[in-house]
Amino acid sequence: MSIFNFFRPPPRKSVAEEAKERLQIVLAHERAAGSSPDYLPILQRELLAVIAKYVQIDEKKVEVSFERGGDYSTLEVNIELPPPSNDKAARARGTGPVTGGDAKKPPAAAAKRA
Amino acid sequence: MAKVIVMTSGKGGVGKTTSSAAFATGLALRGFKTVVIDFDVGLRNLDLIMGCERRVVFDFVNVINGEAKLNQALIKDKRVENLYILPTSQTRDKDALTKEGVEKILDELRKDFDYILCDSPAGIEKGALMALYFADHAIIVTNPEVSSVRDSDRILGVLASKSRRAELNQEPVQEHLLLTRYDPERVERGDMLKVDDVLEILAIPLLGVVPESTAVLRASNIGMPVTLDEKSNANQAYTDAVARFLGDTVEHRFMKPEKKGFFERFLRRTA
Ligand SMILES: Nc1ncnc2c1ncn2[C@@H]1O[C@H](COP(=O)(O)OP(=O)(O)OP(=O)(O)O)[C@@H](O)[C@H]1O
Ligand SMILES: [Mg+2]
């Protein structure tokens, strides 16, 4: 060690160490997922369908991000809701109430889903 | 019993063809009757690396289609006894290789050869699947670099699920890691993944480490498998790997930077 090292910032992870960590994380996920289809697109579609039952949403104002971590992963869904005035207008037109819908469906449909 | 070996990687350009030529030559030099088959349909290259490009008349696909006999398509190496090359076709037809066709040829080769080495194309699509389907052994060619390691992991998954041995629930394909283009100096500096890192991640036995070497380009330029370049360290690395494959115990080399004299080190710094 030369005296110059004294003034250097504390040693950081080497590039190779970082490469190894990144590989371990991504491979752990890929191995677990195997060849099964990625459920994220379906999850996103179904989530939006549920929310759309209650509020009007603009598909372009939806952001979905997914981040894999070593110990846990996070799924972040960001939906920009319309301003309150729109909401009122919707209710005035009679599209607001959330009753009806599912409740009126014949029991056969529910049985099929189960 | 003849053994089928596939040289595969997932990722392109990591050294499969170089290693196939070197490994096949090494096996033949050890006295085993060996044939190396180019599975990269449409991108024929093994012939150039083996230096027999001017002797190709018929190819693998001609034989599958019954347009030529197997022994008309096989090219006997002029330098090494016991070494044969089966070149691929330049056709653009992706469906030129069929499982039935490949199986028929391999069965015929099995009667006559000790080792059948399949040089796989890159990717995990049809061509690569054909090359690995009938394998008894798989040599996974990997560079110490993130995308290569990741793709090697994927191809290991494919071997474990889509090879014939997997489909028939037989003993799994035997896996071997061949780490190529290794640069011990960059590893020392912490810029490149170490052998141990790659081994820990892929968790398969190490067959050999081939250093980054100028001899490889030189050998390919003159159409000579690097295993015939007596002085090169790449040759020694491949020869060691072949010996390990055949069951010899050979210590690993080329994993540490070569010791340099003061003058050389000085030159490198100022370069
Ligand atoms: N140990 C090495 N040292 C230096 N260069 C090398 C080494 N091994 C391979 N190369 C070079 O890397 C390049 C790619 O090699 P090669 O064609 O064998 O790869 P490949 O995996 O067969 O590629 P493809 O996926 O396109 O079939 C060539 O230019 C070759 O000379
Ligand atoms: Mg190749």
Side-chain angles (χ1 to χ4, degrees):
Chain A
M1 281 286 131
S2 85
I3 182 145
F4 296 107
N5 283 337
F6 187 77
F7 299 102
R8 289 205 184 132
R12 268 193 289 144
K13 232 185 287 170
S14 79
V15 174
E17 282 168 319
E18 194 165 330
K20 183 182 176 189
E21 270 183 36
R22 288 176 57 219
L23 269 170
Q24 281 171 324
I25 291 172
V26 72
L27 290 182
H29 285 275
E30 285 179 357
R31 285 171 187 159
S35 55
S36 75
D38 208 345
Y39 61 85
L40 273 182
I42 305 169
L43 173 67
Q44 178 181 346
R45 214 175 333 129
E46 291 187 357
L47 264 178
L48 291 183
V50 169
I51 296 166
K53 284 207 291 196
Y54 302 93
V55 285
Q56 262 189 335
I57 47 177
D58 181 350
E59 294 250 0
K60 276 173 257 147
K61 295 192 173 149
V62 178
E63 263 174 48
V64 178
S65 68
F66 181 68
E67 197 170 328
R68 291 174 172 146
D71 301 328
Y72 58 88
S73 307
T74 54
L75 172 69
E76 204 178 295
V77 183
N78 238 307
I79 303 171
E80 195 180 309
L81 297 177
S85 59
N86 276 357
D87 205 29
K88 255 184 223 153
R91 216 177 295 152
R93 280 200 305 271
T95 53
V98 286
T99 49
D102 267 359
K104 279 186 210 145
K105 279 208 180 125
K112 220 192 234 167
R113 241 180 289 131
Chain B
M1 245 317 251
K3 288 268 184 288
V4 179
I5 309 169
V6 62
M7 196 68 77
T8 187
S9 67
K11 188 170 159 63
V14 296
K16 294 179 293 295
T17 301
T18 305
S19 300
S20 296
F23 213 80
T25 306
L27 285 169
L29 285 172
R30 290 281 303 253
F32 295 98
K33 194 165 176 191
T34 304
V35 56
V36 53
I37 310 178
D38 191 345
F39 269 79
D40 206 342
V41 174
L43 292 170
R44 184 194 287 165
N45 270 326
L46 183 68
D47 58 339
L48 269 180
I49 303 299
M50 295 291 299
C52 64
E53 71 280 4
R54 284 190 284 179
R55 297 166 62 205
V56 176
V57 185
F58 295 112
D59 60 54
F60 196 16
V61 175
N62 290 140
V63 183
I64 289 183
N65 294 342
E67 295 150 3
K69 290 255 161 53
L70 184 55
N71 58 11
Q72 290 177 301
L74 282 175
I75 302 175
K76 187 179 185 325
D77 191 88
K78 285 189 169 161
R79 299 152 297 203
V80 182
E81 190 73 12
N82 289 324
L83 180 59
Y84 292 78
I85 300 111
L86 184 55
T88 192
S89 154
Q90 288 287 44
T91 175
R92 293 207 208 145
D93 177 11
K94 274 201 189 145
D95 297 319
L97 295 185
T98 58
K99 255 184 207 169
E100 298 69 36
V102 173
E103 180 167 32
K104 214 180 83 205
I105 296 192
L106 292 184
D107 283 345
E108 211 174 325
L109 289 169
R110 267 183 231 270
K111 288 183 214 146
D112 219 18
F113 285 89
D114 297 311
Y115 288 104
I116 302 167
L117 208 157
C118 306
D119 178 20
S120 172
I124 52 171
E125 301 301 315
K126 183 149 183 218
L129 287 177
M130 286 294 162
L132 68 77
Y133 188 72
F134 297 97
D136 302 306
H137 292 264
I139 300 178
I140 314 296
V141 184
T142 308
N143 292 164
E145 174 263 320
V146 285
S147 53
S148 174
V149 175
R150 181 197 211 170
D151 290 356
S152 294
D153 194 77
R154 299 235 15 222
I155 209 80
L156 285 167
V158 173
L159 277 164
S161 61
K162 303 236 171 90
S163 61
R164 182 168 67 170
R165 283 176 172 273
E167 283 186 0
L168 300 181
N169 253 325
Q170 294 174 339
E171 220 162 272
V173 179
Q174 249 177 285
E175 305 154 337
H176 313 263
L177 177 68
L178 189 61
L179 194 59
T180 65
R181 311 202 68 164
Y182 196 70
D183 187 337
E185 292 191 2
R186 297 183 66 188
V187 170
E188 195 106 311
R189 271 183 264 138
D191 290 345
M192 189 183 256
L193 286 165
K194 297 197 276 281
V195 182
D196 291 344
D197 294 342
V198 180
L199 278 176
E200 188 185 329
I201 292 168
L202 293 179
I204 60 173
L206 180 64
L207 186 61
V209 177
V210 181
E212 174 75 25
S213 158
T214 51
V216 172
L217 181 62
R218 205 177 341 121
S220 72
N221 279 335
I222 60 170
M224 178 179 80
V226 74
T227 336
L228 295 177
D229 181 352
E230 304 266 307
K231 288 169 301 229
S232 81
N233 49 5
N235 161 25
Q236 293 165 31
Y238 279 117
T239 304
D240 286 0
V242 169
R244 284 184 205 108
F245 185 86
L246 295 172
D248 300 353
T249 321
V250 184
E251 220 184 301
H252 287 281
R253 343 183 225 176
F254 312 115
M255 287 160 46
K256 293 254 146 44
E258 276 167 53
K259 293 215 165 39
K260 291 229 159 61
F262 167 77
F263 195 62
E264 258 179 283
R265 247 184 293 165
F266 178 76
L267 276 180
R268 187 168 280 266
R269 279 219 185 139
T270 51

